[in-house]
Amino acid sequence: MRVGIGEDLHRVAEGGPLMLGGVAIEGTVGLAGHSDADVLLHAITDAVLGAAGKGDLGAHFPSSDDRWAGADSSLFLTEALRMAREDGWVLANLDATVRAERPRLAGHLAAIRESVARIAGVDASRANVKAKSGEGLDAVGRGEAIGATAVVLLEAAP
Ligand code: MG
């Protein structure tokens, strides 16, 4: 088995939708970024790449490359999983936390979890997504940024 961790943080931008785990959350809060700025998929992708020993997201999908401008971040995760699979690794499970002051994510977590699981090609029981507020502290707490952390476990393909 192989374990990996992923972290990401994006600046909040006015105007949605906010992309989280492939789900478009309509509202006034969005995120700045070169791709669709899906901070959760970026953290999960980095965790997959880490577990597979394949470097990081920026190395594979650099923001200097116009191909990834506005890109659907699900492409990054499926490509990372494809690279891992080439080396004989498949996703055992993932666990992630999104940190956001607004919008409140509790009502969106089930849809986000289903979406992440669908993109990752696993049952939703293997793709856990949690949410935390920033408690009014740091850039997340001031509503200036949304962050995500993910842990991924890969196991040998059957
Ligand atoms: Mg990112």
Side-chain angles (χ1 to χ4, degrees), residues 7-10 35 37-39 42-43 57:
E7 288 264 0
D8 200 18
L9 184 74
H10 278 249
S35 65
D38 192 321
V39 66
H42 293 182
L57 187 77

Side-chain angles (χ1 to χ4, degrees), residues 91-116:
L91 182 61
N93 79 298
L94 70 88
D95 185 27
T97 301
V98 179
R99 296 194 309 124
E101 194 66 15
R102 62 190 176 95
R104 292 297 179 194
L105 297 176
H108 300 284
L109 284 179
I112 292 170
R113 179 179 187 162
E114 288 290 334
S115 174
V116 168

Side-chain angles (χ1 to χ4, degrees), residues 38-62:
D38 192 321
V39 66
L40 174 57
L41 289 184
H42 293 182
I44 295 169
T45 301
D46 253 349
V48 170
L49 291 170
K54 300 282 186 189
D56 64 28
L57 187 77
H60 292 282
F61 311 101

Side-chain angles (χ1 to χ4, degrees), residues 7-95:
E7 288 264 0
D8 200 18
L9 184 74
H10 278 249
R11 185 180 298 278
V12 165
E14 287 305 313
L18 169 65
M19 297 300 298
L20 281 180
V23 173
I25 299 171
E26 300 299 336
T28 58
V29 176
L31 291 175
H34 185 67
S35 65
D36 66 2
D38 192 321
V39 66
L40 174 57
L41 289 184
H42 293 182
I44 295 169
T45 301
D46 253 349
V48 170
L49 291 170
K54 300 282 186 189
D56 64 28
L57 187 77
H60 292 282
F61 311 101
S63 57
S64 56
D65 188 333
D66 285 344
R67 264 187 304 171
W68 313 122
D72 177 344
S73 294
S74 67
L75 293 173
F76 304 154
L77 179 54
T78 55
E79 176 61 11
L81 287 166
R82 189 196 63 75
M83 286 190 282
R85 184 70 179 78
E86 276 188 345
D87 285 358
W89 300 110
V90 294
L91 182 61
N93 79 298
L94 70 88
D95 185 27

